[in-house]
Amino acid sequence: MKHLFYYLLFVLLAQITLAQNFGTRIEAKYSIKEISPDKKQSLIVGKVFYDLNKETLIHNQSFPREQILVFKDTAAYIVLNDSVMRTSSSAMTVGFSIYHLLLKNEMDDFGLSKMGFKLMDVEEVGEQVVSKWKHPSSEEGYVAITQSQGLLEGIIFYKKKGEPLVKQYFKEHQKVGRYMFPMKIYEIIHTPAGDNKKITTHSEIKIDDFEDEAAVYTVFDDVILPVIRTGQIH
């Protein structure tokens, strides 16, 4: 019994230590430059906040207008001038955002294994490692992930016929605490009208800052949830 007690104590302490080494909150300044297929450009500036325990993603935008976007589960809400609006739903949860994957240390496969994707093939191309993934229940295409020196460099979603649908490239990784954060993310969405391009630039990354702008993390519980409970928003 004594050996069992010490073993359980060791496991408990190891879990506590592991939990302390992993962050639960991340925040950063960002700008998003988007170029549409007709060459029109737009710019969004703000700060992003993610709480791993609540799985709530918050974009506090300051330009082109001041508003707060809140993503919870598969729903998205806008808080604007003390009003709350639900904007859209998605099949993807915030659990597959880059901020969640980073804090969970799941960037290596972009959370695909968690989604049920199976590894099809792995090959070395120069200094890069390219892995191909496919979901067994889908007849659609596959996903290719590129890594270099253990860091995620790119992910491409292919259609059934092998045509690229969405490309994302992760550049300028910077060490923040125990994490390697991609300061720039390039995204290309191929459409019949042409390519839609987006460049997201991050700066001033903070991990587990529980004091700076702490009220932002409670906007869902304090502002949105009461409105949902009144039945004014669904």
Side-chain angles (χ1 to χ4, degrees):
M1 287 296 292
K2 181 185 291 187
H3 294 295
L4 178 60
F5 170 78
Y6 284 118
Y7 172 75
L8 294 175
L9 180 61
F10 171 79
V11 172
L12 177 61
L13 291 175
Q15 290 176 338
I16 293 174
T17 301
L18 185 62
Q20 290 174 340
N21 288 335
F22 282 81
T24 59
R25 283 182 177 179
I26 186 170
E27 64 184 73
K29 290 184 177 181
Y30 70 87
S31 65
I32 301 175
K33 180 181 179 180
E34 191 164 1
I35 305 173
S36 63
D38 59 2
K39 307 304 179 183
K40 291 182 179 180
Q41 298 186 20
S42 63
L43 178 67
I44 298 174
V45 179
K47 290 188 73 174
V48 61
F49 303 81
Y50 183 69
D51 189 314
L52 181 63
N53 293 328
K54 295 183 177 182
E55 292 197 5
T56 304
L57 179 62
I58 302 165
H59 286 263
N60 191 358
Q61 296 180 351
S62 56
F63 184 84
R65 65 177 180 177
E66 293 185 359
Q67 64 179 10
I68 299 176
L69 274 68
V70 180
F71 300 87
K72 180 73 172 178
D73 298 324
T74 58
Y77 305 89
I78 293 179
V79 180
L80 177 64
N81 298 329
D82 298 324
S83 298
V84 179
M85 299 168 285
R86 180 164 179 169
T87 63
S88 62
S89 297
S90 171
M92 300 288 285
T93 68
V94 295
F96 293 102
S97 71
I98 183 176
Y99 311 104
H100 179 94
L101 296 174
L102 189 78
L103 292 177
K104 292 285 287 183
N105 198 30
E106 295 175 348
M107 285 286 287
D108 55 342
D109 68 354
F110 209 73
L112 293 179
S113 57
K114 183 171 61 177
M115 295 175 63
F117 280 75
K118 302 299 182 183
L119 183 61
M120 298 166 49
D121 183 43
V122 179
E123 64 175 329
E124 291 187 15
V125 181
E127 296 182 352
Q128 295 179 326
V129 177
V130 180
S131 58
K132 296 180 180 179
W133 300 73
K134 185 176 178 63
H135 201 285
S137 63
S138 174
E139 295 183 358
E140 297 301 319
Y142 62 93
V143 181
I145 291 178
T146 303
Q147 290 180 311
S148 179
Q149 298 181 347
L151 296 176
L152 178 66
E153 282 204 342
I155 180 169
I156 303 177
F157 296 84
Y158 287 92
K159 298 179 183 179
K160 187 175 182 179
K161 294 182 179 181
E163 301 173 355
L165 179 62
V166 179
K167 299 175 182 176
Q168 285 186 321
Y169 300 100
F170 306 88
K171 302 295 183 180
E172 299 181 20
H173 290 79
Q174 179 176 308
K175 188 171 180 59
V176 183
R178 68 180 304 278
Y179 304 99
M180 292 298 292
F181 193 93
M183 304 302 284
K184 282 196 175 183
I185 301 174
Y186 298 84
E187 181 179 74
I188 303 172
I189 301 177
H190 299 284
T191 72
D195 292 346
N196 192 85
K197 301 177 181 179
K198 184 187 297 184
I199 303 172
T200 301
T201 303
H202 293 94
S203 63
E204 298 185 27
I205 317 295
K206 295 181 181 179
I207 304 292
D208 284 348
D209 190 329
F210 292 96
E211 296 182 2
D212 182 34
E213 302 184 67
V216 177
Y217 287 100
T218 64
V219 66
F220 181 81
D221 294 333
D222 295 346
V223 178
I224 298 175
L225 196 55
V227 178
I228 295 176
R229 287 172 176 166
T230 63
Q232 298 178 18
I233 188 172
H234 304 282

